[in-house]
Amino acid sequence: MARVSVFRYDPEFDAKGYFDDFDVPVRPGLTVLEAMFHILEHEDGSLGFRYACRGAVCGSCAMHINGHYRLACATQMSDMGDEVVVRPLYHLPIVRDLVVDMTGFWAKYERIRPWLANETPLGDGERVQSPEERARLDDLVECILCACCHASCPFTHTDPQYLGPALLLKVDRFYSDTRDLAAADRLAEADSEHGVWRCHTAYNCVEVCPKSLNPTASIAHLKMGTVRRRLTGRAKDR
Amino acid sequence: MTKVLNLLLQYYREHLLNPHLGMKLFLLQRVTGLGIAFYLLMHITVIGSVRSGPQAFDAMMTRVSEPAWLFKPLEALLMAVLLIHGLNGLRITILDFGSLAKHHRVSIAIMAAAFVPLVAIGGYLFLTHIVSG
Amino acid sequence: MPWVLQRVTGALLAFWIATHFIFWHFAHSEWSFASVAARALTTGSSGWLWDMMLAGLCLYHGLNGVRNIVYDYSPKVSKVAWLTPALWVVGLAGIVLIGYHLAGFRTA
Protein backbone atom coordinates (compact mmCIF):
# COMPACT_ATOMS: atom_id res chain seq x y z
CA MET A 1 0.00 0.00 0.00
CA ALA A 2 1.28 3.44 -0.83
CA ARG A 3 -0.17 6.85 -0.07
CA VAL A 4 -0.31 8.86 -3.30
CA SER A 5 -0.86 12.61 -2.98
CA VAL A 6 -1.96 14.05 -6.28
CA PHE A 7 -2.14 17.73 -7.17
CA ARG A 8 -5.68 18.73 -8.13
CA TYR A 9 -6.80 21.94 -9.74
CA ASP A 10 -9.83 22.75 -11.86
CA PRO A 11 -9.72 26.40 -12.97
CA GLU A 12 -13.50 26.43 -13.35
CA PHE A 13 -14.16 25.62 -9.71
CA ASP A 14 -10.99 26.02 -7.69
CA ALA A 15 -9.34 29.21 -6.56
CA LYS A 16 -6.04 27.40 -6.14
CA GLY A 17 -4.60 23.92 -6.27
CA TYR A 18 -4.73 21.34 -3.49
CA PHE A 19 -3.68 17.76 -2.88
CA ASP A 20 -5.89 14.68 -2.79
CA ASP A 21 -4.61 11.57 -1.00
CA PHE A 22 -5.31 8.08 -2.27
CA ASP A 23 -4.21 4.68 -1.03
CA VAL A 24 -2.97 2.50 -3.86
CA PRO A 25 -2.10 -1.21 -3.49
CA VAL A 26 1.43 -1.77 -4.77
CA ARG A 27 2.47 -4.97 -6.47
CA PRO A 28 5.92 -5.58 -7.97
CA GLY A 29 6.31 -3.83 -11.30
CA LEU A 30 3.52 -1.30 -10.74
CA THR A 31 4.42 2.03 -12.33
CA VAL A 32 3.26 5.45 -11.17
CA LEU A 33 1.19 5.71 -14.33
CA GLU A 34 -0.59 2.46 -13.46
CA ALA A 35 -1.19 3.87 -9.98
CA MET A 36 -2.87 6.83 -11.72
CA PHE A 37 -5.06 4.35 -13.65
CA HIS A 38 -5.97 2.67 -10.39
CA ILE A 39 -7.04 5.99 -8.90
CA LEU A 40 -8.98 6.84 -12.06
CA GLU A 41 -10.83 3.52 -12.10
CA HIS A 42 -11.41 2.87 -8.40
CA GLU A 43 -11.17 6.13 -6.49
CA ASP A 44 -11.80 9.27 -8.49
CA GLY A 45 -12.87 9.22 -12.13
CA SER A 46 -12.27 12.93 -12.51
CA LEU A 47 -8.49 12.77 -12.23
CA GLY A 48 -6.88 14.34 -15.30
CA PHE A 49 -3.52 13.26 -16.68
CA ARG A 50 -1.88 12.60 -20.02
CA TYR A 51 -0.48 9.35 -21.32
CA ALA A 52 -0.14 7.53 -24.60
CA CYS A 53 2.54 4.96 -25.29
CA ARG A 54 3.18 3.72 -21.72
CA GLY A 55 6.66 2.80 -22.97
CA ALA A 56 8.76 5.96 -22.32
CA VAL A 57 8.93 7.07 -25.94
CA CYS A 58 6.10 9.55 -26.40
CA GLY A 59 6.87 11.93 -23.53
CA SER A 60 3.20 12.54 -22.64
CA CYS A 61 3.25 11.38 -19.01
CA ALA A 62 5.99 13.69 -17.73
CA MET A 63 5.26 14.83 -14.17
CA HIS A 64 6.96 15.81 -10.94
CA ILE A 65 7.15 12.71 -8.71
CA ASN A 66 8.83 12.81 -5.31
CA GLY A 67 11.32 15.59 -5.95
CA HIS A 68 12.16 14.76 -9.55
CA TYR A 69 10.58 15.28 -12.93
CA ARG A 70 10.07 11.84 -14.43
CA LEU A 71 8.01 9.84 -16.89
CA ALA A 72 5.21 8.23 -14.89
CA CYS A 73 5.22 5.14 -17.07
CA ALA A 74 8.91 4.58 -16.47
CA THR A 75 8.85 5.08 -12.68
CA GLN A 76 8.34 2.12 -10.38
CA MET A 77 6.05 2.62 -7.38
CA SER A 78 8.35 0.38 -5.36
CA ASP A 79 11.20 2.87 -5.94
CA MET A 80 9.08 5.74 -4.64
CA GLY A 81 8.47 4.42 -1.14
CA ASP A 82 5.31 4.74 0.96
CA GLU A 83 4.62 8.38 0.20
CA VAL A 84 4.33 9.49 -3.41
CA VAL A 85 3.70 13.14 -4.22
CA VAL A 86 2.68 13.87 -7.81
CA ARG A 87 2.57 17.33 -9.32
CA PRO A 88 2.24 18.63 -12.87
CA LEU A 89 5.08 20.13 -14.93
CA TYR A 90 6.06 23.61 -13.80
CA HIS A 91 6.50 26.70 -16.00
CA LEU A 92 3.49 25.87 -18.14
CA PRO A 93 -0.13 26.86 -17.49
CA ILE A 94 -2.24 24.14 -15.88
CA VAL A 95 -5.28 22.98 -17.81
CA ARG A 96 -6.54 20.66 -15.09
CA ASP A 97 -4.92 18.53 -12.38
CA LEU A 98 -1.78 17.07 -13.97
CA VAL A 99 -2.44 18.26 -17.51
CA VAL A 100 -0.46 21.33 -18.60
CA ASP A 101 -0.91 23.53 -21.63
CA MET A 102 1.97 22.70 -23.94
CA THR A 103 0.98 25.31 -26.56
CA GLY A 104 3.74 27.71 -25.56
CA PHE A 105 6.29 24.91 -25.67
CA TRP A 106 5.23 23.89 -29.18
CA ALA A 107 5.27 27.51 -30.31
CA LYS A 108 8.90 27.75 -29.23
CA TYR A 109 9.54 24.48 -31.04
CA GLU A 110 8.24 25.95 -34.28
CA ARG A 111 10.39 29.01 -33.74
CA ILE A 112 13.60 27.01 -34.02
CA ARG A 113 12.64 25.55 -37.41
CA PRO A 114 13.09 21.90 -36.42
CA TRP A 115 13.67 20.44 -39.86
CA LEU A 116 16.72 19.61 -41.90
CA ALA A 117 17.58 22.72 -43.91
CA ASN A 118 18.82 21.29 -47.16
CA GLU A 119 17.15 22.11 -50.46
CA THR A 120 19.91 20.71 -52.66
CA PRO A 121 18.78 17.95 -55.01
CA LEU A 122 19.39 14.40 -53.80
CA GLY A 123 22.24 12.75 -55.70
CA ASP A 124 21.88 8.97 -55.54
CA GLY A 125 18.76 9.22 -53.46
CA GLU A 126 20.48 9.78 -50.12
CA ARG A 127 22.63 12.33 -48.33
CA VAL A 128 25.81 10.56 -47.39
CA GLN A 129 27.03 10.74 -43.83
CA SER A 130 29.93 8.86 -42.32
CA PRO A 131 29.35 6.68 -39.22
CA GLU A 132 31.37 9.17 -37.15
CA GLU A 133 29.23 12.05 -38.35
CA ARG A 134 26.07 10.11 -37.55
CA ALA A 135 27.46 9.17 -34.15
CA ARG A 136 27.56 12.83 -33.17
CA LEU A 137 23.77 12.83 -33.39
CA ASP A 138 23.24 9.72 -31.27
CA ASP A 139 22.38 11.55 -28.09
CA LEU A 140 20.72 14.48 -29.77
CA VAL A 141 18.01 12.59 -31.68
CA GLU A 142 16.82 10.75 -28.57
CA CYS A 143 14.85 13.68 -27.17
CA ILE A 144 11.15 12.83 -26.81
CA LEU A 145 10.11 16.41 -26.05
CA CYS A 146 8.60 15.43 -22.71
CA ALA A 147 9.44 18.87 -21.27
CA CYS A 148 10.85 17.51 -18.00
CA CYS A 149 13.96 19.61 -18.50
CA HIS A 150 11.95 22.68 -19.44
CA ALA A 151 9.95 22.27 -16.23
CA SER A 152 13.04 21.89 -14.07
CA CYS A 153 15.00 24.77 -15.57
CA PRO A 154 14.56 27.82 -13.29
CA PHE A 155 15.19 30.19 -16.17
CA THR A 156 12.18 29.17 -18.23
CA HIS A 157 10.12 30.63 -15.42
CA THR A 158 11.86 33.96 -15.05
CA ASP A 159 11.94 34.37 -18.84
CA PRO A 160 8.92 32.56 -20.33
CA GLN A 161 10.24 33.08 -23.83
CA TYR A 162 13.54 31.38 -23.08
CA LEU A 163 13.82 28.44 -25.44
CA GLY A 164 14.92 26.16 -22.66
CA PRO A 165 17.06 23.04 -22.55
CA ALA A 166 14.98 20.74 -24.77
CA LEU A 167 14.67 23.15 -27.64
CA LEU A 168 18.28 24.27 -27.49
CA LEU A 169 19.23 20.61 -27.60
CA LYS A 170 17.08 20.40 -30.73
CA VAL A 171 18.93 23.39 -32.21
CA ASP A 172 22.18 21.61 -31.46
CA ARG A 173 20.77 18.46 -33.11
CA PHE A 174 20.52 20.32 -36.39
CA TYR A 175 23.64 22.40 -35.86
CA SER A 176 25.67 19.21 -35.38
CA ASP A 177 24.10 17.48 -38.37
CA THR A 178 26.48 17.54 -41.31
CA ARG A 179 23.56 17.40 -43.75
CA ASP A 180 22.09 20.64 -42.41
CA LEU A 181 23.16 23.72 -44.35
CA ALA A 182 21.80 26.40 -42.05
CA ALA A 183 24.50 26.35 -39.35
CA ALA A 184 24.74 30.14 -39.31
CA ASP A 185 20.97 30.46 -38.85
CA ARG A 186 20.98 27.90 -36.06
CA LEU A 187 23.67 29.87 -34.27
CA ALA A 188 21.74 33.08 -34.81
CA GLU A 189 18.72 31.49 -33.15
CA ALA A 190 20.88 30.32 -30.27
CA ASP A 191 22.51 33.74 -30.01
CA SER A 192 19.16 35.49 -29.81
CA GLU A 193 17.65 37.33 -26.87
CA HIS A 194 15.99 34.23 -25.45
CA GLY A 195 18.60 31.75 -26.49
CA VAL A 196 21.65 30.24 -24.87
CA TRP A 197 22.55 33.27 -22.77
CA ARG A 198 19.73 32.57 -20.34
CA CYS A 199 21.38 29.30 -19.35
CA HIS A 200 23.40 29.62 -16.16
CA THR A 201 24.42 26.01 -15.91
CA ALA A 202 22.15 25.02 -13.03
CA TYR A 203 22.21 21.49 -14.53
CA ASN A 204 18.70 20.63 -13.36
CA CYS A 205 17.92 19.52 -16.91
CA VAL A 206 20.70 16.94 -16.88
CA GLU A 207 19.53 15.63 -13.51
CA VAL A 208 15.95 15.04 -14.61
CA CYS A 209 16.11 13.96 -18.25
CA PRO A 210 14.41 10.54 -18.47
CA LYS A 211 16.52 9.73 -21.50
CA SER A 212 19.78 10.74 -19.78
CA LEU A 213 20.51 13.44 -22.33
CA ASN A 214 22.68 16.45 -21.59
CA PRO A 215 21.09 19.73 -22.70
CA THR A 216 23.72 21.75 -20.85
CA ALA A 217 26.45 20.19 -22.97
CA SER A 218 24.46 21.07 -26.10
CA ILE A 219 24.01 24.62 -24.88
CA ALA A 220 27.73 24.87 -24.11
CA HIS A 221 28.44 23.58 -27.63
CA LEU A 222 26.16 26.28 -29.08
CA LYS A 223 27.75 28.96 -26.89
CA MET A 224 31.18 27.98 -28.18
CA GLY A 225 29.79 28.10 -31.73
CA THR A 226 28.37 31.59 -31.32
CA VAL A 227 31.64 32.88 -29.88
CA ARG A 228 33.60 31.27 -32.73
CA ARG A 229 31.27 32.81 -35.27
CA ARG A 230 31.59 36.27 -33.68
CA LEU A 231 35.36 36.06 -33.51
CA THR A 232 36.22 34.25 -36.74
CA GLY A 233 33.07 34.39 -38.85
CA ARG A 234 33.09 30.61 -39.18
CA ALA A 235 29.84 28.86 -38.28
CA LYS A 236 30.54 25.14 -38.48
CA ASP A 237 32.94 23.66 -35.97
CA ARG A 238 34.43 21.13 -38.33
CA MET B 1 15.36 45.54 -2.50
CA THR B 2 12.30 43.43 -1.64
CA LYS B 3 11.91 42.74 -5.35
CA VAL B 4 15.42 41.27 -5.46
CA LEU B 5 14.62 39.17 -2.40
CA ASN B 6 11.38 38.01 -4.01
CA LEU B 7 13.21 37.02 -7.14
CA LEU B 8 15.79 35.07 -5.15
CA LEU B 9 12.93 33.47 -3.24
CA GLN B 10 11.43 32.30 -6.52
CA TYR B 11 14.71 30.60 -7.35
CA TYR B 12 14.63 29.00 -3.91
CA ARG B 13 11.12 27.65 -4.55
CA GLU B 14 12.37 26.17 -7.80
CA HIS B 15 15.17 24.61 -5.84
CA LEU B 16 12.70 22.94 -3.48
CA LEU B 17 11.19 21.21 -6.49
CA ASN B 18 14.61 20.31 -7.84
CA PRO B 19 16.90 19.84 -4.85
CA HIS B 20 19.90 19.09 -7.01
CA LEU B 21 23.43 20.15 -6.28
CA GLY B 22 23.78 22.15 -9.50
CA MET B 23 20.77 24.27 -8.56
CA LYS B 24 22.15 24.94 -5.08
CA LEU B 25 25.45 26.03 -6.55
CA PHE B 26 23.72 28.37 -8.96
CA LEU B 27 21.81 29.98 -6.08
CA LEU B 28 25.03 30.26 -4.09
CA GLN B 29 26.78 31.89 -7.01
CA ARG B 30 24.06 34.55 -7.37
CA VAL B 31 23.81 35.22 -3.64
CA THR B 32 27.58 35.36 -3.07
CA GLY B 33 27.95 37.54 -6.16
CA LEU B 34 25.50 40.10 -4.81
CA GLY B 35 27.11 39.83 -1.39
CA ILE B 36 30.56 40.54 -2.80
CA ALA B 37 29.19 43.46 -4.82
CA PHE B 38 27.77 44.92 -1.64
CA TYR B 39 31.07 44.37 0.17
CA LEU B 40 32.87 46.12 -2.66
CA LEU B 41 30.75 49.22 -2.14
CA MET B 42 31.72 49.25 1.54
CA HIS B 43 35.37 48.61 0.71
CA ILE B 44 35.47 51.59 -1.66
CA THR B 45 33.86 53.78 0.97
CA VAL B 46 36.22 52.65 3.73
CA ILE B 47 39.36 53.14 1.63
CA GLY B 48 37.92 56.46 0.48
CA SER B 49 38.33 57.81 3.99
CA VAL B 50 41.92 58.59 2.96
CA ARG B 51 40.54 61.66 1.29
CA SER B 52 40.02 63.12 4.75
CA GLY B 53 43.70 62.76 5.55
CA PRO B 54 46.08 60.07 6.87
CA GLN B 55 44.77 60.28 10.43
CA ALA B 56 41.20 59.76 9.25
CA PHE B 57 42.34 56.71 7.30
CA ASP B 58 44.17 55.26 10.29
CA ALA B 59 41.11 55.87 12.47
CA MET B 60 38.90 54.09 9.93
CA MET B 61 41.32 51.16 9.78
CA THR B 62 41.08 50.86 13.53
CA ARG B 63 37.30 50.96 13.37
CA VAL B 64 37.14 48.06 10.94
CA SER B 65 39.58 45.84 12.80
CA GLU B 66 38.62 46.25 16.46
CA PRO B 67 37.29 44.38 18.35
CA ALA B 68 39.27 41.53 16.82
CA TRP B 69 36.88 38.87 18.07
CA LEU B 70 34.19 40.45 15.86
CA PHE B 71 36.12 41.44 12.79
CA LYS B 72 38.43 38.45 12.35
CA PRO B 73 35.47 36.05 11.97
CA LEU B 74 33.89 38.55 9.56
CA GLU B 75 37.06 38.55 7.50
CA ALA B 76 37.03 34.75 7.57
CA LEU B 77 33.44 34.86 6.35
CA LEU B 78 34.47 37.20 3.52
CA MET B 79 37.23 34.79 2.60
CA ALA B 80 34.78 31.87 2.52
CA VAL B 81 32.33 33.82 0.36
CA LEU B 82 35.10 34.79 -2.06
CA LEU B 83 36.31 31.19 -2.22
CA ILE B 84 32.82 29.85 -2.93
CA HIS B 85 32.15 32.37 -5.68
CA GLY B 86 35.61 32.05 -7.16
CA LEU B 87 35.94 28.27 -7.18
CA ASN B 88 32.38 27.79 -8.40
CA GLY B 89 33.00 30.40 -11.09
CA LEU B 90 36.16 28.64 -12.25
CA ARG B 91 34.22 25.36 -12.30
CA ILE B 92 31.48 26.91 -14.47
CA THR B 93 34.03 28.44 -16.82
CA ILE B 94 35.73 25.09 -17.32
CA LEU B 95 32.41 23.33 -17.85
CA ASP B 96 31.46 25.95 -20.43
CA PHE B 97 34.00 24.46 -22.78
CA GLY B 98 31.40 22.35 -24.57
CA SER B 99 33.02 18.99 -24.44
CA LEU B 100 33.68 19.14 -20.72
CA ALA B 101 30.07 19.96 -19.85
CA LYS B 102 29.36 16.25 -19.52
CA HIS B 103 31.39 15.90 -16.35
CA HIS B 104 29.07 17.81 -14.08
CA ARG B 105 29.16 15.62 -10.98
CA VAL B 106 32.90 15.15 -11.12
CA SER B 107 33.47 18.88 -11.38
CA ILE B 108 31.53 19.48 -8.16
CA ALA B 109 33.58 16.84 -6.38
CA ILE B 110 36.82 18.41 -7.58
CA MET B 111 35.67 21.86 -6.55
CA ALA B 112 34.67 20.65 -3.09
CA ALA B 113 38.03 18.92 -2.78
CA ALA B 114 39.75 22.24 -3.50
CA PHE B 115 37.43 24.31 -1.32
CA VAL B 116 37.72 22.31 1.88
CA PRO B 117 41.48 22.58 2.43
CA LEU B 118 41.56 26.22 1.36
CA VAL B 119 38.81 27.32 3.68
CA ALA B 120 40.28 25.20 6.46
CA ILE B 121 43.72 26.78 6.11
CA GLY B 122 42.24 30.25 5.91
CA GLY B 123 39.95 29.66 8.85
CA TYR B 124 42.82 28.32 10.90
CA LEU B 125 44.97 31.35 10.13
CA PHE B 126 42.18 33.69 11.11
CA LEU B 127 41.55 31.87 14.36
CA THR B 128 45.20 32.00 15.34
CA HIS B 129 45.10 35.74 14.66
CA ILE B 130 42.27 36.09 17.13
CA VAL B 131 44.11 34.02 19.69
CA SER B 132 47.31 36.02 19.31
CA GLY B 133 45.31 39.25 19.63
CA MET C 1 31.58 39.78 -26.11
CA PRO C 2 30.28 40.00 -22.56
CA TRP C 3 29.89 36.29 -21.92
CA VAL C 4 33.51 35.64 -22.81
CA LEU C 5 34.74 38.67 -20.88
CA GLN C 6 32.78 37.65 -17.80
CA ARG C 7 34.71 34.41 -17.74
CA VAL C 8 38.04 35.99 -18.63
CA THR C 9 37.68 38.68 -15.94
CA GLY C 10 36.42 36.01 -13.56
CA ALA C 11 39.46 33.81 -14.07
CA LEU C 12 41.85 36.77 -13.75
CA LEU C 13 40.04 37.96 -10.64
CA ALA C 14 40.21 34.53 -9.06
CA PHE C 15 43.99 34.78 -8.92
CA TRP C 16 44.31 38.50 -8.48
CA ILE C 17 41.86 38.73 -5.58
CA ALA C 18 43.57 35.74 -4.03
CA THR C 19 46.92 37.56 -3.99
CA HIS C 20 45.28 40.81 -2.90
CA PHE C 21 43.53 39.07 -0.02
CA ILE C 22 46.54 37.04 1.05
CA PHE C 23 48.71 40.16 0.94
CA TRP C 24 46.43 42.31 3.07
CA HIS C 25 45.03 39.73 5.47
CA PHE C 26 47.80 37.25 6.01
CA ALA C 27 51.18 38.44 4.83
CA HIS C 28 50.77 41.93 6.08
CA SER C 29 48.02 42.65 8.53
CA GLU C 30 48.95 46.10 9.70
CA TRP C 31 46.47 48.45 8.09
CA SER C 32 47.47 52.05 8.19
CA PHE C 33 48.08 54.97 5.91
CA ALA C 34 51.81 54.39 6.23
CA SER C 35 51.70 50.74 5.14
CA VAL C 36 49.42 51.40 2.15
CA ALA C 37 51.42 54.43 1.02
CA ALA C 38 54.67 52.49 1.43
CA ARG C 39 53.42 49.85 -0.95
CA ALA C 40 52.33 52.45 -3.47
CA LEU C 41 55.75 54.09 -3.26
CA THR C 42 57.87 50.96 -3.37
CA THR C 43 56.09 49.60 -6.38
CA GLY C 44 56.20 53.01 -7.98
CA SER C 45 53.38 54.41 -10.01
CA SER C 46 52.82 50.89 -11.31
CA GLY C 47 51.50 49.92 -7.90
CA TRP C 48 48.70 52.39 -8.41
CA LEU C 49 48.18 51.05 -11.92
CA TRP C 50 47.87 47.44 -10.71
CA ASP C 51 45.22 48.47 -8.23
CA MET C 52 43.35 50.39 -10.89
CA MET C 53 43.36 47.36 -13.19
CA LEU C 54 42.08 45.19 -10.37
CA ALA C 55 39.33 47.73 -9.73
CA GLY C 56 38.45 47.76 -13.42
CA LEU C 57 38.15 43.98 -13.56
CA CYS C 58 35.99 43.93 -10.42
CA LEU C 59 33.67 46.61 -11.71
CA TYR C 60 33.28 44.96 -15.12
CA HIS C 61 32.63 41.50 -13.68
CA GLY C 62 30.24 42.73 -11.02
CA LEU C 63 28.23 45.11 -13.17
CA ASN C 64 28.00 42.57 -15.99
CA GLY C 65 26.70 40.09 -13.41
CA VAL C 66 24.01 42.58 -12.39
CA ARG C 67 23.16 43.11 -16.07
CA ASN C 68 22.70 39.36 -16.51
CA ILE C 69 20.39 39.15 -13.54
CA VAL C 70 18.21 41.94 -14.90
CA TYR C 71 18.14 40.36 -18.37
CA ASP C 72 16.97 37.07 -16.85
CA TYR C 73 13.84 38.80 -15.64
CA SER C 74 13.16 41.11 -18.58
CA PRO C 75 10.63 39.90 -21.13
CA LYS C 76 12.33 41.98 -23.78
CA VAL C 77 15.86 43.27 -23.75
CA SER C 78 14.71 46.35 -25.67
CA LYS C 79 12.58 47.30 -22.67
CA VAL C 80 15.71 47.71 -20.62
CA ALA C 81 17.84 49.20 -23.38
CA TRP C 82 18.87 51.93 -20.96
CA LEU C 83 20.50 49.40 -18.64
CA THR C 84 23.77 48.77 -20.47
CA PRO C 85 24.67 52.45 -20.91
CA ALA C 86 23.62 53.11 -17.32
CA LEU C 87 25.93 50.37 -16.05
CA TRP C 88 28.79 51.73 -18.15
CA VAL C 89 28.26 55.14 -16.56
CA VAL C 90 28.29 53.56 -13.09
CA GLY C 91 31.42 51.59 -13.95
CA LEU C 92 33.33 54.57 -15.30
CA ALA C 93 32.24 56.70 -12.37
CA GLY C 94 33.47 53.94 -10.09
CA ILE C 95 36.87 53.79 -11.76
CA VAL C 96 37.26 57.56 -11.53
CA LEU C 97 36.26 57.50 -7.86
CA ILE C 98 38.67 54.68 -7.03
CA GLY C 99 41.48 56.46 -8.89
CA TYR C 100 40.72 59.56 -6.87
CA HIS C 101 40.84 57.59 -3.60
CA LEU C 102 44.03 55.76 -4.46
CA ALA C 103 45.71 59.02 -5.41
CA GLY C 104 45.20 60.03 -1.79
CA PHE C 105 48.03 57.69 -0.84
CA ARG C 106 50.58 59.35 -3.06
CA THR C 107 52.63 61.38 -0.64
CA ALA C 108 55.33 62.20 -3.19
Side-chain angles (χ1 to χ4, degrees), chain B residues 49-75:
Chain B
S49 62
V50 73
R51 275 287 135 188
S52 309
Q55 294 84 1
F57 184 75
D58 285 339
M60 178 65 92
M61 288 299 104
T62 318
R63 261 184 61 195
V64 296
S65 42
E66 285 165 18
W69 59 261
L70 173 63
F71 283 100
K72 284 297 176 195
L74 284 179
E75 284 172 36

Side-chain angles (χ1 to χ4, degrees), chain A residues 207-218:
Chain A
E207 299 275 351
V208 300
C209 178
K211 292 285 164 186
S212 304
L213 305 179
N214 193 331
T216 314
S218 281

Side-chain angles (χ1 to χ4, degrees), chain B:
Chain B
M1 191 75 247
T2 47
K3 205 169 174 214
V4 173
L5 286 173
N6 262 327
L7 296 174
L8 285 174
L9 206 61
Q10 172 56 31
Y11 280 139
Y12 183 66
R13 275 185 229 121
E14 297 266 0
H15 163 257
L16 291 176
L17 283 174
N18 300 283
H20 307 306
L21 215 45
M23 177 89 202
K24 293 194 220 293
L25 287 174
F26 158 74
L27 268 180
L28 261 183
Q29 193 71 354
R30 281 264 157 110
V31 169
T32 52
L34 288 171
I36 294 172
F38 177 66
Y39 169 77
L40 189 65
L41 285 176
M42 292 201 294
H43 188 53
I44 294 174
T45 314
V46 162
I47 301 294
S49 62
V50 73
R51 275 287 135 188
S52 309
Q55 294 84 1
F57 184 75
D58 285 339
M60 178 65 92
M61 288 299 104
T62 318
R63 261 184 61 195
V64 296
S65 42
E66 285 165 18
W69 59 261
L70 173 63
F71 283 100
K72 284 297 176 195
L74 284 179
E75 284 172 36
L77 180 67
L78 172 66
M79 182 195 72
V81 166
L82 286 170
L83 271 178
I84 290 172
H85 192 85
L87 287 174
N88 199 21
L90 285 174
R91 176 190 142 254
I92 290 172
T93 303
I94 293 174
L95 286 179
D96 271 340
F97 288 103
S99 53
L100 294 173
K102 295 191 277 283
H103 308 293
H104 168 226
R105 294 266 175 90
V106 174
S107 73
I108 298 183
I110 294 175
M111 181 189 75
F115 177 74
V116 169
L118 286 172
V119 81
I121 295 172
Y124 171 73
L125 288 172
F126 272 117
L127 281 176
T128 51
H129 262 147
I130 299 177
V131 169
S132 65

